[in-house]
C-alpha cells in the first residue's frame, strides 16, 4: 500500500490501476484520472515563477472585521481541493460497502424477526443491539483507514504551506479518530432513526412495517451512499487543515473558493478572515447573496457551507 500511495501521489498510477492490481472492481471513469504534483514545474517555466521584486513583500495589517476581499486562490488551497476531489470516489466506495453490508443484515432481520409479526419488540431489540455493536464496529473498520489516508496527505500539504515539518502528530491522529467517531454516530443515528420511525408509523397507516422497510431498503444502496458521501472529503480535508494550521501557530484563517463555478454564497464568503476559534457563519443565521438566502443550521468553522461546496481555508498571516 505504501508503494501504491507513492505511485498514485506522483502520478504514474491511477486509482483504477491500483484497484486492478488488488483485484478490486474499478470505480468508474473518475478512477482513470492521474494526479499531478502541484509543487513541481518544468524547467522551461522557472522564469514565470521568479519574484518580480527582490525586496520583502509589503504586509498590510487587516482587522478581522474588515470587509471581504476578492483575492486569487493560493496554490496550497488548489492542491488540497484536488486532493479532496481525488479521494471522493474512494470515500464513496468505502461508504457503499458499509451500506451494502448494512442492507444485507437488515434484510435477514426483517425476514426472520419482523415479517408477519404483530409484536415488534424482538425486532426493535435486535435493531438496538445491532446499531450499538456490530454496525459501529464495521463502519469504523471500513472508514478509519480511508479517513486517515486523506488526513495524512492533507496535513503534509498544510505543513508545506506554512513551511512547517510535516507528520501525523498525536493531536492529528486523535482528531481523525474523533472525526471517525462522530461520522459513525451520525451514520448510525440516521439509520436507526429511519427504521424506528417506519416500525412506529406504518401500523398507524394500516401498512405492514416489514413491507415498508423492505421497500425503503431497495433504494438505500444508492441514496444513502450518495447522501452520506456528499461533502465528506471536503469536510475532512478542511477540518484536518484547520487542525494542522492551529498546531503550527496560525491564528487566522481565510475562506477561498475552489472549483470552476462557485455559487453566489461561496463567492460572498471568498476572502473572509476569522480567528481560528471564530466561525465563518453562525448557527441559526443566514447568508444573503444576489437576492438568494442560504440558511445556516450549525456553526461553520470551515467549508463546506452547503452540499456541493468545494471551498477551502488557507492560513492568513
Amino acid at each position: 500500500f505504501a508503494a501504491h500511495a507513492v505511485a498514485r501521489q506522483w502520478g504514474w498510477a491511477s486509482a483504477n490501476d491500483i484497484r486492478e492490481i488488488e483485484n478490486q472492481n474499478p470505480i468508474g471513469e473518475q478512477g482513470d484520472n492521474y494526479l499531478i504534483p502541484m509543487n513541481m514545474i518544468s524547467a522551461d517555466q522557472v522564469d514565470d515563477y521568479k519574484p518580480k521584486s527582490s525586496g520583502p513583500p509589503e504586509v498590510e495589517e487587516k482587522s478581522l472585521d474588515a470587509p471581504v476581499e476578492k483575492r486569487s486562490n493560493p496554490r496550497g488551497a488548489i492542491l488540497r481541493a484536488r486532493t479532496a476531489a481525488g479521494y471522493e470516489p474512494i470515500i464513496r466506495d468505502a461508504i457503499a460497502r458499509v451500506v451494502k453490508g448494512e442492507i444485507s443484515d437488515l434484510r435477514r432481520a426483517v425476514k426472520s424477526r419482523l415479517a408477519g409479526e404483530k409484536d415488534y419488540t424482538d425486532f426493535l431489540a435486535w435493531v438496538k443491539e445491532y446499531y450499538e455493536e456490530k454496525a459501529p464496529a464495521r463502519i469504523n473498520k471500513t472508514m478509519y483507514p480511508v479517513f486517515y489516508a486523506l488526513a495524512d496527505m492533507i496535513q503534509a500539504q498544510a505543513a508545506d504551506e506554512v513551511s512547517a515539518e510535516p507528520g501525523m502528530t498525536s493531536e492529528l491522529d486523535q482528531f481523525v479518530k474523533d472525526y471517525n467517531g462522530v461520522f459513525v454516530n451520525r451514520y448510525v443515528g440516521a439509520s436507526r432513526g429511519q427504521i424506528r420511525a417506519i416500525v412506529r408509523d406504518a401500523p398507524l397507516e394500516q401498512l405492514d412495517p416489514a413491507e415498508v422497510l423492505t421497500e425503503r431498503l431497495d433504494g438505500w444502496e444508492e441514496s444513502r451512499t450518495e447522501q452520506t458521501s456528499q461533502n465528506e472529503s471536503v469536510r475532512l480535508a478542511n477540518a484536518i487543515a484547520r487542525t494542522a494550521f492551529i498546531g503550527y501557530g496560525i491564528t487566522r484563517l481565510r475562506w477561498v473558493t475552489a472549483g470552476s463555478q462557485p455559487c453566489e454564497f461561496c463567492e460572498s464568503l471568498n476572502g473572509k478572515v476569522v480567528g481560528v476559534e471564530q466561525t465563518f457563519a453562525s448557527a441559526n443565521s443566514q447568508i444573503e447573496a444576489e437576492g438568494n438566502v442560504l440558511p445556516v443550521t450549525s456553526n461553520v468553522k470551515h467549508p463546506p457551507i452547503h452540499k456541493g461546496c468545494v471551498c477551502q481555508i488557507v492560513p492568513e498571516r
Side-chain angles (χ1 to χ4, degrees), residues 13 22 57 100 105 114 233 242 281:
E22 294 297 330
K100 189 174 182 179
D105 291 339
L114 187 60
S233 61
R242 176 178 177 273

Side-chain angles (χ1 to χ4, degrees), residues 62-69 71 74 80 158 161-162 237-256 269-281 300-303 312-317:
K62 295 179 177 62
S63 167
L64 294 182
D65 299 323
V68 170
E69 301 176 7
R71 283 184 265 180
R80 282 186 281 110
E161 290 176 63
V162 295
N238 276 290
I240 284 293
R242 176 178 177 273
T243 303
F245 288 143
I246 292 175
Y248 299 142
I250 299 299
T251 59
R252 300 192 299 175
L253 301 171
R254 174 159 52 96
W255 186 292
V256 297
L269 290 171
N270 187 30
K272 183 173 183 179
V273 177
V274 301
V276 291
E277 297 302 332
Q278 294 179 313
T279 61
F280 287 98
V300 179
K301 292 187 175 182
H302 57 74
Q312 300 290 312
I313 51 171
V314 297
E316 180 74 6
R317 293 174 291 178

Side-chain angles (χ1 to χ4, degrees), residues 62-305:
K62 295 179 177 62
S63 167
L64 294 182
D65 299 323
V68 170
E69 301 176 7
K70 309 297 181 184
R71 283 184 265 180
S72 61
N73 293 357
R75 177 182 61 85
I78 298 173
L79 179 58
R80 282 186 281 110
R82 291 183 177 180
T83 300
Y87 264 82
E88 184 178 351
I90 300 173
I91 291 177
R92 185 183 296 113
D93 177 71
I95 292 174
R97 285 185 276 121
V98 167
V99 176
K100 189 174 182 179
E102 179 186 21
I103 292 174
S104 178
D105 291 339
L106 285 170
R107 288 191 188 283
R108 286 196 296 269
V110 168
K111 184 177 181 179
S112 63
R113 300 171 183 268
L114 187 60
E117 294 292 329
K118 299 299 182 182
D119 183 359
Y120 313 126
T121 304
D122 180 56
F123 176 74
L124 290 176
W126 178 89
V127 168
K128 180 177 184 296
E129 182 180 357
Y130 178 76
Y131 283 109
E132 286 180 353
E133 298 180 11
K134 184 174 181 178
R138 172 189 288 156
I139 300 169
N140 182 72
K141 182 178 179 180
T142 303
M143 300 307 304
Y144 177 74
V146 178
F147 288 158
Y148 187 93
L150 175 57
D152 192 22
M153 292 192 69
I154 293 296
Q155 64 81 20
Q157 294 166 350
D160 183 63
E161 290 176 63
V162 295
S163 300
E165 185 70 24
M168 286 295 290
T169 63
S170 58
E171 290 79 11
L172 287 172
D173 184 50
Q174 185 60 50
F175 181 87
V176 177
K177 292 177 181 177
D178 293 342
Y179 183 95
N180 190 60
V182 171
F183 175 86
V184 170
N185 291 336
R186 187 169 66 239
Y187 182 95
V188 166
S191 293
R192 187 177 177 183
Q194 287 190 52
I195 295 168
R196 295 180 67 177
I198 289 173
V199 174
R200 179 193 65 219
D201 298 338
L204 301 178
E205 301 176 8
Q206 306 298 314
L207 298 173
D208 181 2
E211 293 181 1
V212 176
L213 186 52
T214 298
E215 183 178 350
R216 178 70 60 85
L217 293 177
D218 289 340
W220 256 20
E221 188 162 358
E222 181 176 350
S223 64
R224 289 224 67 195
T225 298
E226 183 64 25
Q227 293 169 6
T228 308
S229 63
Q230 278 184 336
N231 294 337
E232 205 59 51
S233 61
V234 176
R235 181 181 293 111
L236 176 58
N238 276 290
I240 284 293
R242 176 178 177 273
T243 303
F245 288 143
I246 292 175
Y248 299 142
I250 299 299
T251 59
R252 300 192 299 175
L253 301 171
R254 174 159 52 96
W255 186 292
V256 297
T257 57
S260 58
Q261 294 181 323
C263 72
E264 65 272 24
F265 302 113
C266 293
E267 283 285 9
S268 69
L269 290 171
N270 187 30
K272 183 173 183 179
V273 177
V274 301
V276 291
E277 297 302 332
Q278 294 179 313
T279 61
F280 287 98
S282 301
N284 302 317
S285 65
Q286 61 184 28
I287 299 175
E288 298 182 10
E290 300 181 9
N292 298 316
V293 175
L294 175 69
V296 180
T297 58
S298 59
N299 290 329
V300 179
K301 292 187 175 182
H302 57 74
I305 189 71

Side-chain angles (χ1 to χ4, degrees), residues 33-53:
N33 294 331
Y34 290 84
L35 302 178
I36 301 175
M38 291 292 292
N39 62 331
M40 301 180 70
I41 60 173
S42 61
D44 60 356
Q45 293 178 299
V46 170
D47 288 340
D48 296 335
Y49 288 82
K50 287 182 178 179
K52 304 303 180 181
S53 171

